Amino acid sequence: MNLITHSSATTFRACPQKYLLAYVRGWRKSDSGQALRMGSAIHRVRERMRAGDQYPLRHIEEAPISEYERQATLAIAYEWRERWAEDDARTDAMLATELGFRVPVCGIKGGAVRGWKYAGKIDGIVRRKDGAVVVEELKTTSQDIAPGGYFWQRLHIDSQIAGYFWAATALGHEPVAVQYDVIRKPDL
């Protein structure tokens, strides 16, 4: 079975040789980098908070990250919880968190492409109190997230979210929108 992920497709579009080395031959860096480690820790805490965990910040204490990353992630989590706790009351139900998927790849004429699947992990599928089902996407960034800025402009053409929306539909959910939860990481 051949898999396409957002990362593999992005790598192929940027440099087919890099795709060959990373995804066919398996030559990749073993260190995930600070941005990915902190983002993963924040995702874990957010998931635990949404699941009703009374002590979600312990997941940061247990994460394999540096002390700087731990303290920055704790600060982000505390601020996020204070700012958005009331907003979470608008959510009727978390239908899924960290939902892994493998769905058939569709060809130009709409039929499945034999032997290929699109794979990934959707941060969340939420039913809001108004009944709308939305794909929830958590992003962490060091970029400026002011309204109308470049960060938001590029999301209008984000193939990752289009893929997740399609996958959620293929899995039987009927999302009507994407709801972004964006956290800006602190600068030093």
Side-chain angles (χ1 to χ4, degrees):
M1 180 63 52
N2 297 304
L3 291 179
I4 298 172
T5 65
H6 172 70
S7 296
S8 69
T10 300
T11 301
F12 183 82
R13 282 192 300 271
C15 178
Q17 184 67 26
K18 184 176 180 180
Y19 171 86
L20 173 70
L21 295 173
Y23 291 94
V24 176
R25 295 196 178 148
W27 299 351
R28 298 187 213 182
K29 293 189 311 183
S30 59
D31 180 26
S32 61
Q34 177 187 23
L36 187 56
R37 288 191 306 269
M38 284 182 67
S40 294
I42 291 168
H43 268 80
R44 278 193 299 279
V45 168
R46 175 74 172 114
E47 177 185 359
R48 299 310 315 148
M49 289 171 129
R50 295 303 287 271
D53 189 332
Q54 295 298 309
Y55 306 102
L57 300 180
R58 74 170 176 260
H59 297 283
I60 294 174
E61 296 297 334
E62 299 165 358
I65 56 179
S66 73
E67 190 56 30
Y68 163 76
E69 294 164 347
R70 187 175 327 286
Q71 293 305 317
T73 304
L74 281 169
I76 290 167
Y78 280 119
E79 287 299 317
W80 182 91
R81 187 169 60 179
E82 287 298 312
R83 169 63 177 89
W84 295 109
E86 186 177 302
D87 201 53
D88 263 356
R90 292 188 320 198
T91 298
D92 183 44
M94 283 298 297
L95 303 177
T97 59
E98 296 296 317
L99 178 62
F101 64 85
R102 288 182 180 201
V103 296
V105 171
C106 292
I108 294 172
K109 296 181 181 177
V113 177
R114 189 173 32 190
W116 285 89
K117 297 273 185 181
Y118 180 65
K121 190 181 283 188
I122 300 170
D123 291 338
I125 299 179
V126 177
R127 183 184 318 109
R128 298 189 303 213
K129 292 220 186 266
D130 64 5
V133 173
V134 298
V135 171
E136 183 176 70
E137 177 67 7
L138 173 60
K139 296 279 190 195
T140 57
T141 184
S142 55
Q143 296 177 2
D144 180 15
I145 58 172
Y150 174 74
F151 180 85
W152 298 107
Q153 291 173 12
R154 73 178 178 81
L155 290 181
H156 290 289
I157 56 169
D158 188 351
S159 61
Q160 179 182 26
I161 299 309
Y164 289 0
F165 198 89
W166 167 54
T169 302
L171 294 171
H173 300 282
E174 296 184 13
V176 297
V178 174
Q179 173 176 295
Y180 286 97
D181 186 352
V182 180
I183 298 171
R184 185 172 187 277
K185 295 180 282 189
D187 292 328
L188 284 184

